[in-house]
């Protein structure tokens, strides 16, 4: 009773604090356009620009809570702890990877060479290299400090790695996922990001490829890496009739794979929706374009959710809460590449088509029974990421938002072609990088486990072939492939107990 009375006494004070914080953010968003138009004092403009980017980055960071709730809610009860653990630690790993290598590869100076493959300076920020190694990057973002830019871009990098966790949930080993996340953020994500977001990147210059806030750089890259991982891991035991013991498919599905807690998933969706205002709004170079960017983001998400709900019966399925959730998220991913380039009318079309793509993508994965994606990450992030990238060419207008800071093509068809080839180039690179990386990690973990088993029982031979056999190239590749897939997946007993090899309920 005393605790209840204490809370009731404190509640008005807490409400006042929250009201003040919310009012401060609202006033900042409403006032950025007026400040930009009326105030000629550069120091004031720079202060507002840095403050807004820090707030936007904080919103993007909070999206990690949304991903954690979403994936936990879409998964099974006995996997809640290991899903939450991976969603929490992955940002820690991503932050260090991006600080050590990613930020330099993505935005480090390249000696003024256009069409470059990667940044060449700025690794281990402020430890091995000073802040002046990013002058070319700062030219794209006038008035922003390196610390502000680093923090904002860091939250994007962490998002790309978190997307992967949803696609490989409930069967990937904890250390396999962490090692993959580190290398993805440190190298693959940062290289493709340099090609597209750096003023010296070769896709940015040669193809005039544009991705306003990351439909390709963040969402498609994360979705493709997750697709490769889910393909290698194969479905969860019983899903689509897959039998882990015999590595074969049965006629009927075994077990219940329905989302266990849609309350968590709904909360996660709302958190992600809020965070997306920072995701897209923070990507606007000119502050007076922030309100329209946030508005197009809101409208596209709403349209995606509504159309996904309405059209769901057309593919023979009942309306469901999970459909609305992924329809909203699909709309958010779809508008991300063009939110600063389009008007509201275009945002409605982009978001609506994104909701349809999510429906068709989920049905395609279910029918093919090859990719088991518990959180729907692949239809939402990869498929809608492709559509969002193409929408830049179809719907961008010179009268809207950040067009002057991005697109340079007068012919919309040329831009569509450039977007198509640029997306495919980035995805082929991500696919190859992810495939090799997953298999290398799997083989390392496989042999480490074999060493441990031999130490415990010297008579155990965990290798699928005898040492006396001779190998040709095909056999070596086959062994590398089989052991790699086995090495990244938890054992059957761990999977049934809801463990990722480290954490379990």
């Amino acid at each position: 009773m005393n605790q209840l009375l204490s809370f009731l006494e404190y509640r008005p004070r807490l409400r006042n604090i929250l009201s003040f914080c919310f009012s401060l953010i609202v006033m900042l968003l409403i006032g950025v356009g007026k400040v930009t138009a009326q105030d000629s004092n550069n120091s004031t403009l720079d202060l507002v620009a840095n403050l807004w980017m820090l707030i936007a980055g904080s919103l993007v960071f909070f999206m990690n809570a949304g991903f954690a709730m979403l994936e936990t809610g879409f998964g099974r009860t006995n996997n809640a702890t290991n899903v939450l653990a991976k969603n929490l630690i992955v940002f820690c790993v991503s932050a260090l990877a991006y600080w050590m290598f990613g930020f330099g590869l993505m935005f480090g100076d390249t000696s003024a060479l256009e069409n470059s493959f990667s940044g060449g300076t700025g690794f281990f920020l402020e430890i091995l290299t000073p802040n002046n190694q990013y002058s070319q990057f700062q030219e794209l973002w006038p008035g922003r400090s390196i610390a502000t830019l680093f923090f904002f871009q860091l939250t994007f990098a962490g998002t790309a790695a978190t997307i992967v966790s949803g696609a490989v949930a409930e069967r990937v080993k904890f250390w396999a996922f962490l090692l993959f996340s580190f290398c993805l953020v440190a190298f693959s994500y940062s290289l493709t990001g340099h090609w597209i977001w750096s003023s010296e990147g070769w896709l940015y210059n040669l193809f005039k490829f544009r991705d306003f806030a990351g439909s390709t750089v963040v969402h498609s890259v994360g979705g493709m890496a997750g697709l490769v991982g889910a393909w290698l891991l194969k479905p969860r035991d019983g899903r689509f009739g897959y039998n882990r013991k015999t590595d074969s498919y049965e006629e009927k599905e075994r077990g219940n794979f329905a989302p266990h807690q849609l309350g968590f998933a709904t909360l996660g969706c709302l958190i992600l929706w809020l965070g997306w205002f920072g995701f897209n709004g923070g990507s606007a170079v000119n502050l007076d374009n922030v309100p329209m960017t946030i508005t197009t983001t809101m409208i596209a998400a709403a349209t995606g959710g509504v159309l996904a709900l309405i059209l769901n019966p057309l593919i023979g399925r009942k309306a469901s809460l999970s459909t609305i959730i992924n329809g909203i998220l699909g709309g958010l991913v779809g508008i991300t590449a063009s939110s600063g380039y389009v008007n509201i009318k275009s945002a409605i079309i982009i978001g609506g088509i994104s909701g349809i793509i999510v429906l068709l993508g989920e049905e395609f994965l279910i029918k093919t029974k090859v990719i088991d994606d518990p959180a729907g990450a692949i239809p939402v992030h990869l498929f809608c990421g492709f559509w969002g990238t193409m929408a830049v060419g179809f719907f961008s207008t010179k009268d809207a938002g950040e067009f002057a800071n991005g697109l340079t093509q007068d012919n919309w068809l040329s831009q569509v072609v450039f977007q198509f080839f640029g997306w495919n180039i980035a995805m082929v690179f991500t696919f190859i990088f992810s495939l090799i990386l997953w298999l290398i990690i799997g083989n390392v973990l496989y042999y480490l486990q074999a060493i441990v088993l031999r130490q415990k029982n010297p008579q155990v031979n965990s290798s699928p072939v005898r040492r006396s056999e001779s190998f040709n190239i095909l056999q070596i590749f086959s062994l590398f492939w089989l052991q790699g897939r086995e090495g990244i997946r938890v054992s059957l007993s761990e999977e049934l107990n809801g463990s990722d090899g480290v954490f379990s309920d």
Side-chain angles (χ1 to χ4, degrees):
M1 180 63 68
N2 291 335
Q3 291 179 344
L4 178 61
L5 292 174
S6 177
F7 173 75
L8 292 175
E9 292 177 358
Y10 179 71
R11 189 172 60 180
R13 203 180 317 166
L14 177 62
R15 184 172 61 248
N16 292 336
I17 294 173
L18 293 175
S19 299
F20 172 77
C21 295
F22 180 76
S23 300
L24 180 63
I25 295 175
V26 171
M27 287 189 293
L28 178 63
L29 290 175
I30 295 175
V32 290
K34 295 181 179 180
V35 170
T36 305
Q38 298 176 4
D39 197 337
S40 60
N41 188 326
N42 289 334
S43 62
T44 303
L45 294 176
D46 293 349
L47 176 62
V48 174
N50 278 278
L51 181 59
W52 163 239
M53 183 168 274
L54 290 172
I55 292 174
S58 299
L59 289 173
V60 178
F61 168 75
F62 192 57
M63 289 174 70
N64 287 276
F67 279 116
M69 293 293 97
L70 184 81
E71 294 173 19
T72 303
F74 276 155
R76 292 175 290 182
T77 304
N78 64 344
N79 283 271
T81 299
N82 75 72
V83 170
L84 289 170
K86 284 196 282 289
N87 272 271
L88 185 60
I89 196 63
V90 69
F91 195 86
C92 302
V93 172
S94 301
L96 294 177
Y98 196 69
W99 166 71
M100 293 166 66
F101 304 108
F103 193 49
L105 285 175
M106 201 165 180
F107 297 116
D109 285 348
T110 58
S111 301
L113 294 176
E114 290 188 355
N115 310 328
S116 62
F117 184 79
S118 72
T121 60
F123 306 109
F124 293 86
L125 178 64
E126 286 197 345
I127 300 297
L128 299 182
T129 55
N131 288 345
N132 60 7
Q133 302 290 330
Y134 306 94
S135 58
Q136 294 165 352
F137 183 39
Q138 284 185 291
E139 290 178 2
L140 293 176
W141 295 90
R144 275 76 161 187
S145 70
I146 284 297
T148 300
L149 291 169
F150 171 74
F151 171 70
F152 185 68
Q153 292 297 332
L154 169 62
T155 59
F156 275 55
T159 300
T162 305
I163 291 169
V164 180
S165 65
V168 300
E170 301 195 17
R171 59 210 188 277
V172 68
K173 287 182 179 177
F174 179 80
W175 291 111
F177 174 70
L178 255 61
L179 290 170
F180 181 86
S181 298
F182 181 92
C183 295
L184 178 74
V185 171
F187 306 110
S188 177
Y189 166 83
S190 300
L191 287 174
T192 52
H194 178 82
W195 302 347
I196 296 169
W197 279 348
S198 171
S199 59
E200 289 73 43
W202 69 279
L203 288 179
Y204 182 93
N205 287 304
L206 286 179
F207 277 37
K208 308 302 179 185
F209 185 92
R210 295 297 183 267
D211 181 11
F212 179 71
S215 285
T216 294
V217 176
V218 179
H219 298 285
S220 295
V221 167
M224 178 57 76
L227 172 67
V228 176
W231 173 47
L232 292 173
L233 286 165
K234 297 186 179 181
R236 290 165 288 178
D237 183 60
R239 180 62 165 160
F240 306 138
Y242 177 68
N243 189 319
R244 176 75 190 280
K245 290 182 178 179
T246 61
D247 192 24
S248 61
Y249 287 84
E250 302 168 351
E251 292 185 6
K252 294 183 179 180
E253 183 171 278
R254 291 180 290 104
N256 181 16
F257 297 92
H260 91 276
Q261 182 48 272
L262 284 174
F264 284 173
T266 302
L267 176 60
C269 176
L270 291 170
I271 292 174
L272 289 170
W273 198 345
L274 173 64
W276 234 287
F277 298 149
F279 206 96
N280 292 352
S283 299
V285 175
N286 297 321
L287 293 181
D288 53 352
N289 293 326
V290 171
M292 179 54 72
T293 300
I294 291 179
T295 300
T296 57
T297 302
M298 169 66 84
I299 293 298
T303 310
V306 170
L307 276 189
L309 174 65
I310 293 175
L311 298 180
N312 201 38
L314 295 181
I315 60 175
R317 300 195 314 194
K318 294 182 179 180
S320 64
L321 179 54
S322 59
T323 297
I324 302 175
I325 291 171
N326 279 339
I328 291 170
L329 297 178
L332 289 167
V333 172
I335 196 63
T336 295
S338 61
S339 55
Y341 303 149
V342 300
N343 52 35
I344 294 178
K345 180 175 66 175
S346 297
I348 292 174
I349 299 172
I350 294 170
I353 293 177
S354 297
I356 297 172
I357 289 174
V358 168
L359 283 180
L360 297 178
E362 289 179 343
E363 192 67 15
F364 172 76
L365 295 183
I366 292 173
K367 294 295 185 183
T368 56
K369 299 183 179 181
V370 175
I371 304 298
D372 180 11
D373 180 8
I378 294 166
V380 169
H381 297 281
L382 181 60
F383 298 167
C384 289
F386 170 71
W387 160 239
T389 303
M390 300 303 297
V392 171
F394 287 118
F395 297 102
S396 295
T397 170
K398 291 182 179 179
D399 299 327
E402 296 277 287
F403 187 95
N405 296 316
L407 305 177
T408 58
Q409 294 294 316
D410 294 326
N411 187 334
W412 69 269
L413 183 58
S414 298
Q415 190 64 50
V416 169
V417 173
F418 288 142
Q419 296 295 112
F420 177 80
F421 282 106
W423 186 88
N424 277 278
I425 289 170
M427 291 305 99
V428 168
F429 172 79
T430 304
F431 177 87
I432 295 173
F433 181 94
S434 299
L435 180 62
I436 295 173
L437 180 59
W438 277 121
L439 291 175
I440 290 176
I441 292 173
N443 274 274
V444 170
L445 294 179
Y446 181 91
Y447 281 109
L448 287 177
Q449 184 178 18
I451 291 172
V452 173
L453 288 175
R454 289 193 187 102
Q455 288 178 343
K456 292 181 178 180
N457 188 355
Q459 297 179 349
V460 172
N461 181 16
S462 59
S463 177
V465 295
R466 294 186 299 272
R467 292 183 180 181
S468 59
E469 292 184 0
S470 61
F471 296 100
N472 57 36
I473 295 178
L474 184 60
Q475 289 174 322
I476 293 174
F477 175 79
S478 177
L479 188 63
F480 180 74
W481 178 268
L482 293 174
Q483 293 181 169
R485 298 181 80 162
E486 184 69 20
I488 61 175
R489 181 160 180 160
V490 297
S491 66
L492 179 58
S493 61
E494 289 174 331
E495 182 179 341
L496 296 177
N497 292 326
S499 173
D500 58 11
V502 175
F503 295 96
S504 62
D505 285 347

